[in-house]
Amino acid sequence: MTIKDSLARNLRIAMAEKNIKANELSKETRIAEPTISNLRNGKTTSIAFKTLEKLAERLGVSVSDLFERR
């Protein structure tokens, strides 16, 4: 499993656990919905650390949790 696969999987899991949809997460974090969609589907080739921090904070996880291989 690649790092971006881990990120995609963990983001989907965290969103499901918090019962939050991509459009809600986008509005609350001010991250474009297509960016969130690309992250969830493993289609992102680069990402700003600030974006990861916003996602992690809203989802109640650490940035490292988003990359953890499960």
Side-chain angles (χ1 to χ4, degrees), residues 4-17:
K4 77 176 170 181
D5 291 336
S6 294
L7 174 59
R9 182 176 188 274
N10 293 335
L11 182 57
R12 287 192 305 269
I13 290 169
M15 289 175 68
E17 288 175 349

Side-chain angles (χ1 to χ4, degrees), residues 17-34:
E17 288 175 349
K18 296 291 183 181
N19 195 31
I20 187 167
K21 297 184 187 315
N23 63 338
E24 296 171 70
L25 187 57
S26 173
K27 287 178 186 174
E28 293 178 15
T29 60
R30 304 184 96 168
I31 298 169
E33 193 171 343

Side-chain angles (χ1 to χ4, degrees), residues 53-68:
E53 287 179 320
K54 287 179 183 180
L55 291 171
E57 182 178 333
R58 171 54 186 93
L59 295 170
V61 299
S62 68
V63 171
S64 63
D65 288 340
L66 292 175
F67 289 99
E68 182 180 313

Side-chain angles (χ1 to χ4, degrees), residues 28-61:
E28 293 178 15
T29 60
R30 304 184 96 168
I31 298 169
E33 193 171 343
T35 300
I36 294 170
S37 178
N38 286 337
L39 287 168
R40 290 180 58 212
N41 293 309
K43 294 182 180 179
T44 299
T45 56
S46 66
I47 183 169
F49 192 76
K50 189 68 178 168
T51 300
L52 292 171
E53 287 179 320
K54 287 179 183 180
L55 291 171
E57 182 178 333
R58 171 54 186 93
L59 295 170
V61 299

